[in-house]
Amino acid sequence: MKPRWELAPAQPLLAAHLGERLGVSSLLAQCLLNRGLTEPEACRAFLEPRLASLTDPFLLPDMRAAVDRLEQARQRGETVVIFGDYDVDGVTASALLQEVLEGLGWSCAVYLPHRFDEGYGLSREAVTNCLRRHPARLLLAVDCGSTACDTVAELREQGVDVIILDHHQPGPRRPPAVAFVNPRASGGGSGPCEGRELCSVGLAFKLAHALVKEGRRRGEAEAHGLDLRDWLELVALGSIADVVPLTGENRILVRAGLARLNRTKRPGLQALCEVARCAGALDTFHVGFQLAPRLNAAGRLETAQTALDLLRASSPEAARALATQLDDWNRERQEVEREILGEIRRRLQEGFRPETDWVIVEGDPEWHLGVVGIVAARLVQEFHRPALVLGGDGGCLRGSGRSIPGFDLAAALRACGDLLVSHGGHAMAAGVSLEPDRLEAFRRRLNDLAHRTLTAEALCPALWLDAEVRLSDLTPEVLEELDRLKPVGPDNPPVHLVARGVSLQRPLQRFGREQRHVRLWVTDGRAVCETIWWSGGLEPDLPVGTFDLAFAPQWHVWNGRRRLRLRLLDWRPA
């Protein structure tokens, strides 16, 4: 789908003034303005994120209650059972907490529910299986539990306390946990919007910070000897995989975590990078598209325990075997995903009406539950509208949805509550289950909501452009300066620029399997830039004559040397 170009308003005077105050170029200053940063101090904090700027973990709701109950468990010699989740956020949070708690003197066990046998979160079956394997009086629910009011109440009646550490949207009732550490809960934390954008591994780091801080206050040797920076690589993995906004505390944690990840001593992460063939310095791209999918493949097709075992592996031999298994599962996951996506595309070719079908809802009892969420994300990318994909779960259909800006998927599901067996999630991603005979009514209800909420323009993807530049302005020094905006991701997108009135300096060149990619040499009469258009060979039209070029400037590394190259985002006749 061809995007609409949205060029940020040029602010030359303000950018020049801000650039002078910061000692940076007007281009970088304009990019900072585009990201809502107008004051020099805020810009400096953004460009130079420091761990020392992290806020007090006790500002989070119920953090004091969580620390006190955990301390009580340690004094009593109780085992703390960490009940996690099967995605990267849940697995990294579980690994972090187990290692930190054990390092501080707690007795710990971890239980990760099985996606297919037990479903998501604190289901009765999963909790029963968990406590059968690990009898305990204290359950630490991580990345789940915010809507599990009945299960938590039943556990309390059985004499089992529950601490919930979660970032998902709570329901209308507060679960009766001894501590409910969820920054989205009503009342929130003590600080302004404290921790609202942290995912569960970020909250796990906050809990670890609170425990270490309390231990040091008491003069405990274990707390003084523990360096929490050793777990930042796990925080970066889980945060990037969970697609959190890379601003505020997330930016601080991910920036520091990526630095640790690039020199990791964990055999599991070293082996994972090896099987994923990661080249060069690891950044958000490597984590999001190479490492995280392999870690997620465990919980999607089999059991997330393999991913947890990899993160905690102590020997290179064991790590290599586990990483290879995850790589194999990831290939299997990709094949299953292609089959389901192909079937949905065939269905849409027959009955899809873009003028009325503003939400895509497809289900089939034969579809694999482990990949329906990824397929939904692919449909959103392709059609730029909310999509929900459901597979078979006994007599029900269960699956996941992904959304676009402007359509709160979790709120929409609440408005469909009378049609559903269960639901939950965020504005942009959610899970749902329903009876098969209600699928069509569900589709109609969601589309009615979308037509009341969205505009037709919202269904056309926007390509946000930071500034208009000349190709001759693009030098290695400029790109090095723009690198200060990294890590990039949600709420801090990669720098996108536009050059007007360019042309091809020589004939374009197709390359890759099936000639699917295109290499161009683009000139504005003053400079020539090599430009890569990934999958451009599949497009019906290629640039000719004089055209405007939307692109992302990037480093191309080959044989240890790097040079500036452009990645084509879109083009249109000048």
Side-chain angles (χ1 to χ4, degrees):
M1 181 179 292
K2 203 74 168 162
R4 68 180 192 277
W5 291 17
E6 296 284 354
L7 178 61
Q11 304 179 69
L13 295 179
L14 189 55
H17 177 68
L18 182 61
E20 185 178 348
R21 295 280 302 275
L22 295 173
V24 303
S25 69
S26 293
L27 177 58
L28 178 56
Q30 177 68 55
C31 291
L32 291 167
L33 292 171
N34 296 344
R35 285 151 182 76
L37 298 162
T38 59
E39 298 300 323
E41 282 308 307
C43 292
R44 290 189 187 98
F46 186 85
L47 294 174
E48 301 170 9
R50 302 181 184 279
L51 291 170
S53 300
L54 293 174
T55 57
D56 185 347
F58 285 103
L59 293 176
L60 285 165
D62 273 6
M63 183 61 83
R64 169 54 62 186
V67 169
D68 289 347
R69 180 62 184 89
L70 284 167
E71 178 57 30
Q72 187 181 70
R74 183 170 62 167
Q75 291 176 359
R76 293 175 176 175
E78 295 176 343
T79 295
V80 178
V81 177
I82 300 165
F83 186 102
D85 188 27
Y86 36 67
D87 67 0
V88 180
D89 184 27
V91 172
T92 51
S94 299
L96 184 157
L97 286 172
Q98 184 176 23
E99 292 177 4
V100 169
L101 287 171
E102 289 176 345
L104 293 173
W106 270 270
S107 171
C108 274
V110 174
Y111 186 87
L112 300 177
H114 195 283
R115 182 190 294 263
F116 312 114
D117 298 340
E118 298 169 325
Y120 167 75
L122 290 173
S123 67
R124 286 185 177 88
E125 184 176 7
V127 167
T128 300
N129 293 337
C130 170
L131 294 178
R132 186 180 296 125
R133 185 181 303 174
H134 306 293
R137 292 292 179 184
L138 179 59
L139 204 66
L140 174 52
V142 180
D143 203 29
C144 62
S146 289
T147 59
C149 299
D150 294 341
T151 304
V152 175
E154 290 170 9
L155 286 169
R156 186 173 64 175
E157 291 174 2
Q158 298 167 22
V160 178
D161 287 339
V162 178
I163 296 171
I164 294 174
L165 190 74
D166 190 22
H167 70 117
H168 293 95
Q169 191 67 42
R173 291 188 295 148
R174 176 190 171 95
V178 294
F180 185 32
V181 186
N182 184 330
R184 297 178 183 275
S186 58
S190 303
C193 299
E194 183 58 42
R196 286 185 64 84
E197 300 300 341
L198 293 171
C199 62
S200 290
V201 73
L203 293 173
F205 186 84
K206 286 287 199 177
L207 175 56
H209 185 190
L211 292 169
V212 168
K213 186 174 183 177
E214 183 68 8
R216 289 177 179 176
R217 185 186 68 79
R218 295 177 178 178
E220 297 173 0
E222 296 90 346
H224 282 286
L226 208 66
D227 186 351
L228 287 177
R229 290 176 297 183
D230 291 341
W231 287 275
L232 284 170
E233 57 199 13
L234 298 184
V235 180
L237 274 173
S239 299
I240 295 168
D242 227 51
V243 202
V244 298
L246 291 186
T247 56
E249 297 212 330
N250 283 327
R251 177 172 171 81
I252 296 172
L253 293 168
V254 169
R255 173 99 159 233
L258 283 171
R260 306 287 291 200
L261 186 60
N262 273 286
R263 57 179 189 272
T264 184
K265 295 179 180 177
R266 286 181 181 263
L269 293 180
Q270 291 174 341
L272 191 63
C273 289
E274 185 178 334
V275 300
R277 295 189 176 94
C278 293
L282 300 175
D283 59 17
T284 51
F285 172 82
H286 297 94
V287 173
F289 292 94
Q290 293 179 278
L291 303 183
R294 287 169 170 82
L295 288 169
N296 265 329
R300 292 189 185 283
L301 296 185
E302 296 293 338
T303 167
Q305 186 65 42
T306 305
L308 180 66
D309 292 343
L310 176 82
L311 295 179
R312 302 209 61 202
S314 57
S315 76
E317 295 76 21
R320 200 171 297 115
L322 291 164
T324 301
Q325 177 64 78
L326 291 177
D327 194 47
D328 291 342
W329 282 338
N330 190 53
R331 288 196 182 90
E332 183 182 344
R333 184 270 304 171
Q334 290 171 328
E335 183 56 36
V336 174
E337 176 191 329
R338 277 192 290 269
E339 291 175 1
I340 297 175
L341 192 56
E343 171 60 26
I344 292 177
R345 283 175 177 149
R346 285 189 289 273
R347 293 186 183 187
L348 294 178
Q349 284 175 356
E350 296 172 3
F352 178 63
R353 300 183 304 277
E355 66 281 357
T356 57
D357 297 338
W358 286 17
V359 182
I360 295 172
V361 181
E362 294 293 338
D364 192 304
E366 299 301 316
W367 288 346
H368 198 297
L369 288 174
V371 302
V372 290
I374 307 177
V375 175
R378 300 272 188 241
L379 292 171
V380 172
Q381 289 176 350
E382 188 171 339
F383 294 92
H384 198 71
R385 60 197 65 214
L388 294 97
V389 181
L390 302 97
D393 182 25
C396 288
L397 291 174
R398 175 161 63 92
S400 297
R402 301 292 185 269
S403 194
I404 61 173
F407 190 73
D408 186 329
L409 191 55
L413 293 182
R414 287 195 292 272
C416 299
D418 58 306
L419 299 173
L420 307 176
V421 174
S422 63
H423 62 88
H426 311 292
M428 300 297 286
V432 63
S433 65
L434 76 165
E435 301 290 341
D437 59 1
R438 295 194 165 187
L439 183 64
E440 184 54 41
F442 178 51
R443 181 186 288 116
R444 285 197 303 270
R445 178 86 61 86
L446 279 178
N447 272 282
D448 288 344
L449 291 168
H451 278 272
R452 293 202 299 267
T453 306
L454 294 170
T455 63
E457 185 181 59
L459 300 180
C460 177
L463 176 57
W464 298 99
L465 302 168
D466 282 292
E468 185 176 325
V469 298
R470 296 175 300 183
L471 295 182
S472 54
D473 295 333
L474 300 173
T475 65
E477 293 74 23
V478 167
L479 187 50
E480 283 183 354
E481 187 181 52
L482 294 177
D483 280 347
R484 297 181 66 186
L485 294 169
K486 294 180 177 179
V488 295
D491 288 6
N492 179 35
V495 173
H496 291 168
L497 304 171
V498 60
R500 306 283 188 188
V502 301
S503 58
L504 297 181
Q505 187 254 358
R506 61 176 114 158
L508 55 80
Q509 180 184 88
R510 296 173 183 265
F511 69 99
R513 190 180 63 185
E514 299 176 357
Q515 304 289 286
R516 63 189 296 124
H517 310 304
V518 178
R519 180 179 286 108
L520 312 93
W521 289 267
V522 177
T523 181
D524 60 1
R526 292 178 291 269
V528 178
C529 289
E530 180 188 0
T531 305
I532 298 296
W533 189 5
W534 301 112
S535 300
L538 305 178
E539 296 293 326
D541 298 311
L542 296 174
V544 293
T546 304
F547 56 94
D548 296 339
L549 176 71
F551 64 91
Q554 296 180 329
W555 292 112
H556 175 56
V557 181
W558 182 253
N559 287 336
R561 301 179 63 184
R562 68 175 188 172
R563 56 187 171 85
L564 189 151
R565 191 169 74 175
L566 311 183
R567 178 169 63 88
L568 188 148
L569 303 170
D570 194 22
W571 71 276
R572 63 188 186 188

